[in-house]
């Protein structure tokens, strides 16, 4: 028997909402909910399939809705919306979905079953034909007069049928478009006191939407333009609808806004770098925060593992004010550098020749460096302290290696970064610019890197 499914759907102007309308299959009438999603015509699954002679069942174990007519079987998996026809997955631009307890299927699923979909522009409803149905000539509502305007205009924002621009929701070229009062409205723009937003199909934006790197929140095409609570969280939207997040420039200052659009405050880590903000404005220079001293560079980054004046900023960025012993040590180191020069080679030569080995107990780095400079005696950690403080004062990035040397006993030596690469200096055992591989060939082991603190 030839089959013809004839659906009448009066669809609301908001594409994302559903509408209840009359539907006719042969001489039988039904009520059917229709909607549109991302330009896809969506139809209430149960009514459409039952009208076409399918039965509907539910598989609780797999949570699958099954439509079958004895020849074809369509399965829709509830959890994912994936669809299969006779056991074969169907590729769909928009998946079946459930809204208010109603399952909707896209027109593209029906097309995969051999259904032809047409559109009656006068009455604004879809026409669905089975593969064995030939519509009568009078069912074709298109004009035969070639002088009458038909199809898209040049700007591609109006569609004409029989010389008139179609209005509201219409199915054109396999997609649903909202032509409003005759013109397809797209993009984000200001309309009176509101900020409106529509996608490429004229469908109202809903929820969070990002356009040209700017985030908005829409409800039926209208953007929030003031602070608002969404899902229990407060977001800060500007008057133009934009949710400001991340870095921004304002009056020559760098600012940072959190994911809710509010300016951050205090010390905040961003992409692995810590910054300090006051009402969202990035700060530079010396800062006292929660009773601690910090220093932030010209780029706003927190200074760590560095000495500035009489303050050392540790790995956590907290600055420790130096003692008189430290100030005396810095003065001594600067005096030595003025005589020897600031090259790593000159620093190595001075320490290797000035300090003679003598076992002495390990103390803090400030005391060990001062003792070795003053007495010319010290153990391996005294040598390392002298080299480390001189390199630091000369402006090099340096660290101390803790491991073993020629023997199995504990040993300390230095590493300095030259031209972007670390190299080894051991003034105690008289190695300069030695590679790791070379020292390992001398029975050295590398156990730990230390970053001496002087105060």
């Amino acid at each position: 028997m030839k089959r013809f499914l004839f659906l009448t759907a009066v669809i609301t102007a908001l594409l994302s909402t559903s509408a209840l309308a009359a539907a006719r299959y042969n001489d039988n009438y039904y009520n059917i909910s229709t909607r549109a999603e991302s330009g896809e015509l969506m139809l209430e699954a149960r009514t459409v399939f039952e009208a076409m002679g399918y039965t509907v069942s539910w598989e609780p174990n797999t949570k699958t809705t099954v439509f079958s007519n004895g020849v074809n079987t369509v399965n829709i998996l509830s959890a994912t919306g994936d669809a299969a026809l006779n056991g074969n997955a169907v590729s769909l631009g928009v998946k079946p979905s459930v809204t208010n307890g109603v399952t909707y299927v896209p027109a593209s699923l029906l097309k995969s079953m051999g259904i032809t979909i047409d559109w009656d522009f006068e009455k604004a409803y879809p026409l669905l034909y089975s593969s064995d149905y030939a519509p009568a000539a009078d069912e074709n509502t298109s004009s035969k007069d070639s002088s009458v305007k038909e199809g898209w205009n040049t700007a591609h924002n109006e569609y004409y049928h029989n010389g008139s621009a179609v209005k509201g929701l219409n199915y054109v070229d396999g997609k649903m478009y909202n032509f409003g009062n005759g013109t397809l409205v797209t993009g984000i723009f200001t309309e009176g006191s509101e900020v409106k937003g529509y996608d490429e199909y004229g469908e109202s934006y809903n929820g969070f939407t990002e356009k040209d790197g700017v985030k908005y929140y829409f409800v039926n095409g209208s953007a929030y333009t003031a602070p608002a609570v969404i899902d229990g969280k407060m977001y800060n939207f500007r008057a133009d609808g934009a949710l400001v997040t991340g870095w921004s420039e304002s009056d020559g200052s760098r600012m940072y806004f959190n994911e809710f659009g509010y300016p951050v405050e205090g010390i905040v880590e961003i992409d692995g770098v810590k910054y300090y903000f006051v009402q969202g404005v990035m700060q530079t220079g010396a800062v006292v925060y929660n009773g601690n001293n910090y220093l932030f560079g010209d780029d706003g980054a927190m200074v760590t593992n560095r000495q500035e004046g009489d303050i050392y900023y540790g790995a956590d960025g907290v600055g420790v004010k130096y003692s008189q012993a430290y100030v005396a040590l810095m003065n001594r180191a600067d005096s030595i550098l003025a005589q020897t020069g600031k090259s790593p080679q000159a620093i190595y030569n001075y320490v290797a020749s000035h300090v003679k080995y003598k076992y002495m107990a390990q103390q803090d780095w400030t005391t060990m460096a001062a003792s070795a400079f003053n007495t010319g005696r010290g153990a391996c950690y005294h040598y390392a302290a002298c080299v480390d403080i001189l390199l630091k004062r000369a402006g090099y990035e340096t660290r101390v290696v803790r491991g073993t040397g020629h023997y199995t006993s504990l040993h300390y030596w230095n590493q300095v970064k030259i031209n972007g690469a670390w190299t080894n200096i051991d003034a105690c055992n008289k190695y300069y610019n030695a590679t790791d591989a070379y020292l390992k060939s001398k029975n050295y082991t590398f156990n730990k890197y230390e970053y001496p603190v002087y105060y």
Side-chain angles (χ1 to χ4, degrees):
M1 182 180 69
K2 294 183 179 180
R3 301 167 57 122
F4 167 49
L5 180 60
F6 181 76
L7 298 178
T8 303
V10 180
I11 307 175
T12 62
L14 293 175
L15 291 176
S16 60
T17 60
S18 61
L20 191 64
R24 193 182 79 186
Y25 172 65
N26 287 342
D27 294 325
N28 298 315
Y29 287 83
Y30 307 89
N31 288 325
I32 182 171
S33 294
T34 59
R35 60 193 297 268
E37 183 177 339
S38 299
E40 181 75 83
L41 171 63
M42 307 290 288
L43 304 112
E44 181 186 352
R46 176 180 288 274
T47 304
V48 169
F49 278 97
E50 287 183 344
M52 293 192 298
Y54 284 70
T55 59
V56 184
S57 61
W58 171 254
E59 294 290 345
N61 293 333
T62 59
K63 297 188 181 335
T64 302
T65 304
V66 181
F67 302 93
S68 179
N69 67 353
V71 177
N72 294 320
T73 300
V74 176
N75 296 307
I76 299 177
L77 189 61
S78 176
T80 63
D82 292 330
L85 174 61
N86 297 329
N88 298 313
V90 181
S91 179
L92 303 171
V94 177
K95 292 184 178 182
S97 60
V98 178
T99 301
N100 297 326
V102 177
T103 299
Y104 291 87
V105 292
S108 54
L109 175 59
L110 302 181
K111 287 182 179 180
S112 72
M113 299 167 59
I115 300 298
T116 299
I117 301 177
D118 205 347
W119 188 261
D120 188 312
F121 289 98
E122 275 78 16
K123 299 176 182 177
Y125 53 62
L127 304 169
L128 279 71
Y129 305 105
S130 62
S131 59
D132 59 356
Y133 180 82
D138 60 358
E139 290 176 353
N140 187 344
T141 59
S142 298
S143 171
K144 302 300 188 295
D145 185 352
S146 61
S147 66
V148 177
K149 194 171 186 179
E150 195 78 21
W152 289 102
N153 66 345
T154 303
H156 205 77
N157 62 356
E158 294 176 353
Y159 191 88
Y160 286 83
H161 176 72
N162 288 343
S164 299
V166 299
K167 298 180 180 181
L169 283 172
N170 285 274
Y171 188 75
V172 178
D173 300 334
K175 292 291 184 179
M176 288 295 291
Y177 293 88
N178 182 6
F179 291 94
N181 290 323
T183 301
L184 179 65
V185 179
T186 63
I188 297 175
F189 54 90
T190 301
E191 184 177 275
S193 61
E194 291 188 290
V195 175
K196 309 291 285 186
Y198 302 88
D199 68 10
E200 60 185 304
Y201 305 110
E203 181 178 347
S204 301
Y205 283 131
N206 274 287
F208 281 106
T209 302
E210 185 167 339
K211 190 73 172 176
D212 298 329
V214 179
K215 290 183 180 179
Y216 303 83
Y217 190 87
F218 291 93
V219 176
N220 293 334
S222 294
Y224 285 165
T225 55
V229 176
I230 302 172
D231 296 331
K233 296 178 180 178
M234 177 67 77
Y235 292 83
N236 186 22
F237 297 93
R238 296 189 317 213
D240 62 358
L243 175 66
V244 181
T245 60
W247 290 104
S248 180
E249 298 287 335
S250 178
D251 296 328
S253 297
R254 292 194 76 196
M255 299 188 69
Y256 194 85
F257 297 84
N258 64 16
E259 60 183 307
F260 306 114
Y262 283 92
V264 295
E265 191 76 20
I267 294 177
V268 178
E269 185 170 332
I270 303 169
D271 296 331
V273 179
K274 291 182 179 179
Y275 301 86
Y276 179 69
F277 298 90
V278 175
Q279 296 182 356
V281 178
M282 185 189 78
Q283 306 295 305
T284 61
V287 167
V288 177
Y289 179 69
N290 287 342
N292 293 320
N293 293 306
Y294 296 90
L295 182 65
F296 297 88
D298 292 339
D299 61 354
M302 178 187 287
V303 172
T304 59
N305 298 319
R306 198 168 89 194
Q307 298 163 331
E308 290 289 337
D310 62 349
I311 297 179
Y312 178 80
Y313 297 93
D316 59 358
V318 176
V320 177
K321 193 173 182 64
Y322 295 124
S323 63
Q324 289 184 346
Y326 166 81
V327 175
L329 176 62
M330 295 302 106
N331 291 335
R332 180 65 182 273
D334 291 343
S335 176
I336 293 171
L337 291 172
Q339 298 173 24
T340 65
K342 295 184 177 181
S343 71
Q345 178 75 67
I347 290 170
Y348 163 78
N349 291 340
Y350 175 82
V351 177
S353 61
H354 178 78
V355 180
K356 305 301 180 185
Y357 186 85
K358 178 182 179 182
Y359 175 77
M360 301 171 68
Q362 190 173 6
Q363 298 173 283
D364 66 85
W365 293 101
T366 302
T367 300
M368 289 192 296
S371 174
F373 282 146
N374 292 332
T375 67
R377 296 289 184 272
C380 60
Y381 26 73
H382 291 80
Y383 282 88
C386 291
V387 172
D388 182 75
I389 193 62
L390 289 172
L391 287 170
K392 277 187 170 65
R393 297 301 287 178
Y396 291 94
E397 186 176 352
T398 182
R399 61 192 182 191
V400 171
V401 186
R402 177 179 176 178
T404 61
H406 292 150
Y407 308 103
T408 58
S409 58
L410 184 65
H411 186 61
Y412 288 82
W413 69 96
N414 301 86
Q415 284 191 343
V416 61
K417 186 176 283 189
I418 301 175
N419 297 326
W422 290 101
T423 188
N424 295 278
I425 296 176
D426 188 346
C428 180
N429 285 343
K430 307 302 185 284
Y431 293 119
Y432 175 75
N433 198 21
T435 65
D436 290 1
Y438 180 79
L439 290 184
K440 288 177 181 178
S441 73
K442 298 298 183 180
N443 207 36
Y444 276 57
T445 62
F446 294 67
N447 296 335
K448 179 182 179 182
Y449 295 119
E450 294 189 9
Y451 299 85
V453 176
Y454 304 89
Y455 49 85

